Amino acid sequence: MRTHHDGWRTWQGHLLGPLGLGGRTGVWACANLGVLVAPALAFLGTLLTGRGRVSAQEAREPGPVTDTKGC
């Protein structure tokens, strides 16, 4: 429910115009694109920042294998 007190939402949709998606009054204004963009950015961020740790883990010598009968 939107009321006149929703002044904190004025930032929403500020990228729709520069991206050519019709601005705040266009068809894409209510599309919730952030729901798709946020997980994509999180995935890319994890992929880019975790490369060093994965490489270090892969470079280590494998340790002794423990008994896995309890699994």
Side-chain angles (χ1 to χ4, degrees):
M1 180 167 102
R2 299 223 34 191
T3 66
H4 65 281
H5 299 291
D6 287 346
W8 60 274
R9 294 185 188 193
T10 58
W11 63 271
Q12 292 181 334
H14 71 278
L15 288 177
L16 293 175
L19 292 176
L21 298 174
R24 294 181 184 196
T25 57
V27 240
W28 289 96
C30 296
N32 290 327
L33 294 176
V35 174
L36 300 174
V37 173
L41 288 176
F43 175 74
L44 288 174
T46 303
L47 186 67
L48 294 174
T49 60
R51 288 178 91 179
R53 286 182 284 177
V54 171
S55 296
Q57 184 180 4
E58 289 175 347
R60 284 190 295 197
E61 294 271 337
V65 178
T66 58
D67 184 24
T68 60
K69 288 183 180 179
C71 291

